[in-house]
Amino acid sequence: MRDPGAGRQLRLGSPGHFQRGSISYLLLVTILVMLAFTGIALDTAMAYNRRAEVQSVADAAALAAARELNGTPAGITAAVNRAAAVVGRFKYHYDQVPMTWNDAAIEFSTTPAYGGSWRNAGSAAASPAGVYFVKVDTSQLDEAAASVEAVFMRIIGADMSATNVVGQAIAGRSAINITPLAVCAMSSAAATPRANPGPPANLELVEFGFRRGVAYNLMNLNPNAATPANFLVNPIDPPGATGNAVHTTIPIVGPFVCSGTMAMTRVTGGQIRVNSPFPIADLFRQLNSRFDQYDGDMCSPNGAPPDFNIRSFVFTSIPWMLTPPTGQTAAPLAGPTSLATIADPSPAPAGTTAGQYGPLWSFARAVPFSAYVNGSPEPASGYPYFAATAWTTLYRPGQPSTLGYPAMTPYMASGGANFQAPSASNRPGIRKRRVLNVPLLACPVSGSANVPATVLAIGKFFMTVPATETTISAEFGGVVPAETLGGPVELFP
C-alpha cells in the first residue's frame, strides 16, 4: 500500500528544501549581527562610563585647586596639592583601580579660555598675580585610565581595539568679595605712624589715611576738596575694559550691593570704571540686608544672608565707653581743601571733645605702628593691638580708659547686650557680613560717569548701624589684600 505522507516529503534539491536552508542562514547572520551590535554597545558603554569617570575626576580636581588660588606662590603650591589629594581619592574602572597623580596634569592661567596662555605650576608660581584659573587634563595621568580596551570592536579592525578617553576641566573665580562702592584713600601712603601723646610706643598705625577702630561716614569724605567724593563701581566690566553704562544702572548693580560681590576676578592690574556719586538713596536698603532687613525685592536671605550678629551699635547706647559719644561717627572736619574727621589730624584740632570721636572699637582696635611690616600682609591672626587703657592718649582730649571694655570686640559677642541674632528663619547668618570690602581710590577722579579710576587698596569697613538715605556709618578695620577676596569658584565651559 502507498504511504499517504510520502507525497509530502521534500526531495533533495526541491524548492522547499532551499527555502528552509535560506531561512537558517539568514537567522544565523541575524544572530551574528545582533551579537556584534550588542558587543559594540557594551564596548561603547564601557568607553562612556570611563569618560564619565575621568571627567568627574577632572571637574573635582579643578574646582578644589581653584579654591586655593590667591595670587601668591603659596596659592599655586596649595592648588597642586589639593588637586593631587582629590585625584588620589578617586578610582576608575567601576571604582576598582586607584588613579595616580602627575603634576603635568595641571596648568594655570589668568583667563578661563581654552586657547589662553596656560602655564605649569613652576611658571605660574614665579608670576602668580592674577592667576585665578586652573585646568586639569586627565590625559596626563594614568595611561591605563585614558585607554579603554575593546572586547568586541576589535573584530571590526585592529585600529578599533582601544578607545582613548580624556577628561578636561577649567575652574576659577566667578566673582570677588568686594562691594561695588568706592571711596577716596585719604592718603596715598600705605602706612604711616601717628604720633599720639605719650611714650614712643604709642605710635599708631594709620593706613591710607584711616585709623583702625574709628568710624567714618563713607558718604562724607574727600582728601582733595570740601565736598564729598564717593563712587559706584561697575561690578561687571573688568579692569582695563571700556565699561558699559548699563552695568551701573540700579537694577543691575543692586543685587551686587546686596551680596557684597562683583562679577570680576580682580580690581587691580588696570583701571576700573566708576560713576560718581554713589547713589546711596537708591541702594541703602540693599546694604541693610546685612541687618536682616529685606525691604524691596532686590535682596533675599538666600543670596544675601544677614550677619550672625545684627546688633546696631547706636552711639547713644554704647555700654563699653565711659565717655558717651556725641555722634555715630567721628565728627566731620571740613577744611578749604579737604573733608575729613576730627580723628584724622595729629594733634586733634583745638576744642575737640572726647565724645566727638564717636563709638570706638566696635569691630577693630587701634594697632601700634611697630606691628606693621612693609611689603608683608597682615597675619591671619591679626596685628597685636593697643589695650583699652591707651585710650587716654589715643583719643585726646580726655577720653578715659574703659575698664568695662570686653575681652573681645563687642561685635564678636555671642550673647549679652552686644549681640542680637537674626530672625529664626534666617539664622544662623554669616560672620562679618557687615564688613564692606571697599576699594580705596587714588583721588581726585576726573568725571562722573563711566570714568577710569585706580584702586590703591581694599579697606575693610564695618557697618556699625544700618545705612540711611544719606549715610553709611562704618568703622575702619584695616586693609585686606585683594588676592584673598576671591568669591565663588565655578567650572567654565
Side-chain angles (χ1 to χ4, degrees):
M1 178 183 248
R2 184 183 178 196
D3 183 356
R8 296 194 296 272
Q9 292 180 353
L10 296 176
R11 295 185 177 88
L12 184 62
S14 68
H17 175 81
F18 284 114
Q19 187 177 26
R20 284 195 169 185
S22 297
I23 292 173
S24 299
Y25 175 76
L26 289 174
L27 180 61
L28 177 61
V29 171
T30 300
I31 292 173
L32 291 175
V33 170
M34 291 178 64
L35 288 174
F37 275 108
T38 301
I40 292 172
L42 290 174
D43 284 343
T44 302
M46 285 196 302
Y48 176 84
N49 288 337
R50 180 67 57 79
R51 183 173 287 108
E53 288 176 326
V54 296
Q55 187 61 50
S56 294
V57 172
D59 291 347
L63 284 169
R67 293 189 183 99
E68 302 294 334
L69 297 179
N70 58 8
T72 68
I76 301 294
T77 300
V80 174
N81 292 338
R82 272 302 279 153
V86 168
V87 169
R89 293 197 299 267
F90 269 88
K91 295 181 179 181
Y92 65 95
H93 194 55
Y94 303 101
D95 201 31
Q96 296 183 40
V97 182
M99 188 171 284
T100 304
W101 173 252
N102 183 347
D103 284 355
I106 190 169
E107 292 181 302
F108 301 88
S109 181
T110 59
T111 171
Y114 268 98
S117 176
W118 292 92
R119 297 177 281 161
N120 61 30
S123 175
S127 181
V131 177
Y132 299 127
F133 300 93
V134 59
K135 179 171 67 174
V136 172
D137 185 348
T138 63
S139 67
Q140 301 297 318
L141 299 175
D142 301 78
E143 183 177 346
S147 179
V148 179
E149 295 296 327
V151 176
F152 297 96
M153 292 181 70
R154 67 178 64 212
I155 298 174
I156 301 174
D159 58 343
M160 304 290 287
S161 62
T163 300
N164 290 325
V165 294
V166 175
Q168 285 188 334
I170 292 176
R173 291 183 182 182
S174 61
I176 189 169
N177 292 322
I178 294 178
T179 306
L181 156 70
V183 298
C184 293
M186 297 301 289
S187 167
S188 60
T192 55
R194 177 186 172 88
N196 295 304
N202 277 352
L203 288 177
E204 178 186 354
L205 174 64
V206 179
E207 298 161 280
F208 293 96
F210 292 97
R211 299 177 68 182
R212 294 197 188 198
V214 173
Y216 298 83
N217 178 2
L218 300 185
M219 296 294 98
N220 198 39
L221 297 171
N222 191 342
N224 304 113
T227 54
N230 45 78
F231 308 87
L232 174 66
V233 180
N234 182 325
I236 295 176
D237 297 317
T242 303
N244 186 333
V246 173
H247 295 161
T248 52
T249 57
I250 300 303
I252 296 295
V253 78
F256 291 105
V257 177
C258 293
S259 62
T261 63
M262 295 196 292
M264 58 180 73
T265 59
R266 55 178 175 164
V267 293
T268 56
Q271 291 185 309
I272 60 174
R273 291 282 164 167
V274 301
N275 289 0
S276 179
F278 182 83
I280 181 64
D282 295 315
L283 294 171
F284 75 97
R285 293 180 180 86
Q286 284 70 30
L287 289 168
N288 292 344
S289 62
R290 294 148 179 84
F291 290 87
D292 204 19
Q293 299 177 13
Y294 296 96
D295 299 334
D297 57 0
M298 282 194 184
C299 300
S300 75
N302 293 327
D307 201 295
F308 94 106
N309 183 0
I310 64 170
R311 170 65 66 197
S312 293
F313 298 129
V314 182
F315 73 97
T316 55
S317 57
I318 301 297
W320 63 87
M321 293 182 66
L322 298 181
T323 298
T326 57
Q328 194 60 51
T329 62
L333 179 65
T337 59
S338 66
L339 182 57
T341 76
I342 58 92
D344 300 315
S346 179
T352 300
T353 64
Q356 287 181 306
Y357 284 92
L360 294 169
W361 296 16
S362 301
F363 171 78
R365 310 185 193 197
V367 169
F369 180 76
S370 59
Y372 175 78
V373 179
N374 186 30
S376 298
E378 183 175 356
S381 58
Y383 288 135
Y385 45 78
F386 284 110
T389 53
W391 282 20
T392 54
T393 55
L394 293 176
Y395 310 112
R396 283 177 60 90
Q399 177 64 62
S401 61
T402 55
L403 301 179
Y405 190 80
M408 63 180 67
T409 52
Y411 163 73
M412 294 304 295
S414 57
N418 296 324
F419 176 78
Q420 180 182 347
S423 58
S425 60
N426 294 335
R427 293 176 187 170
I430 295 180
R431 288 180 181 269
K432 299 184 181 180
R433 265 279 289 156
R434 288 163 63 175
V435 175
L436 307 179
N437 294 315
V438 175
L440 304 178
L441 304 184
C443 288
V445 174
S446 300
S448 60
N450 193 33
V451 294
T454 300
V455 177
L456 297 180
I458 306 298
K460 296 186 294 184
F461 289 91
F462 171 76
M463 295 180 67
T464 55
V465 294
T468 72
E469 292 185 356
T470 59
T471 64
I472 302 176
S473 300
E475 182 181 296
F476 183 64
V479 170
V480 57
E483 302 84 37
T484 65
L485 296 174
V489 167
E490 65 178 35
L491 293 168
F492 289 83

